[in-house]
Amino acid sequence: MNITINEELRSYIDPLTANEYAALERSILAEGCRDALVLWGEVLIDGHNRYAICQKHGIEFRTVQNANFSTIDDVLLWLIDNHLARRSVSDFQRGVLALRKKDLVAARTRAQQDSALPVVAAELPAPAPIGTREEIAKIAGISSNTISQIEKIQKTAAPELVEAVRAGTISINAAAAVASLPSAEQVAAVAGGKKELQQAAKLVREKKSSARPARTDDPLEAPSAAPAKESEVVNEAANEVALLSARIDELTAENTALKQQIATLNAALEDANRSAASA
């Protein structure tokens, strides 16, 4: 069987982390390759990691054909929808995939409008144009505010910060705040780890909050600058909630660890008492 690897397709979806790849490898070694690889002719379009693991260990695998594609864009749109249907995909990945779908659909629509030649329709139904951030959010299954933050991360975040979001080291809204810093400061925050990233995000929010004009009930004393828009206030509130939620998670983890330590000490004390009683 001839299987061809198309590098554009292989790298189109974010690669698995080292831990995810190791878990997949353990699963295939224990249970075999349960899911069939998907081919378009001889081109592998889904299952690159499974294929690599099976080749490495000489494990058998099945293949299925999907002949409904006319162009590479058809394949890319199918890949996006296929991955968005998986529950294991993170919110950041969902947002990135939905934004890619919007760009693909827009490019296809422009090409069809600009071309004087008849367009050969694909077997798959053509997706409807994606016009608003709300439509993108609906495709991704996340909020429009999160989509806005992901767009900011894509435009201004250093590669190291993007990788930190992908790995779950920092939340999307915290990363969007850190992405407003100079690239060197972003890289330094990532190098400092999770707490350093959270602190950097907090400082950015505090700086933004202090720069906002103070509010007053007396219109004669009100500053000349326009008050913050309602959407900005909502975003700030959401950021604060996320920061508090992250802190709660940290405290919960610390509390759990302390309980485990106490349980271990109690068990050791009971063992010592029993030993002393039997002596």
Side-chain angles (χ1 to χ4, degrees), residues 133-181:
R133 187 171 285 125
E134 286 71 22
E135 290 174 331
I136 301 171
K138 185 176 181 181
I139 292 170
I142 56 180
S143 71
S144 58
N145 184 52
T146 301
I147 290 293
S148 177
Q149 292 169 340
I150 291 173
E151 288 180 307
K152 180 177 180 180
I153 292 169
Q154 287 185 312
K155 291 177 182 176
T156 62
E160 292 84 353
L161 180 58
V162 175
E163 184 58 31
V165 184
R166 284 193 61 250
T169 306
I170 183 173
S171 67
I172 295 172
N173 59 38
V178 176
S180 63
L181 295 172

Side-chain angles (χ1 to χ4, degrees), residues 174 177-178 181 185 189 195-205:
V178 176
L181 295 172
E185 293 183 29
K195 289 188 176 180
E196 184 69 23
L197 283 167
Q198 291 175 343
Q199 182 64 20
K202 181 180 179 182
L203 292 175
V204 169
R205 291 166 184 151

Side-chain angles (χ1 to χ4, degrees), residues 178-250:
V178 176
S180 63
L181 295 172
S183 181
E185 293 183 29
Q186 295 181 39
V187 174
V190 173
K194 185 174 182 178
K195 289 188 176 180
E196 184 69 23
L197 283 167
Q198 291 175 343
Q199 182 64 20
K202 181 180 179 182
L203 292 175
V204 169
R205 291 166 184 151
E206 289 176 347
K207 183 177 180 180
K208 186 184 296 184
S209 179
S210 64
R212 185 177 298 118
R215 294 186 174 184
T216 176
D217 294 332
D218 188 346
L220 296 178
E221 297 179 4
S224 57
K229 295 181 180 178
E230 182 179 353
S231 61
E232 293 177 350
V233 175
V234 172
N235 287 344
E236 284 298 321
N239 289 337
E240 290 301 321
V241 169
L243 189 62
L244 289 171
S245 178
R247 182 56 180 158
I248 289 172
D249 289 342
E250 290 181 7

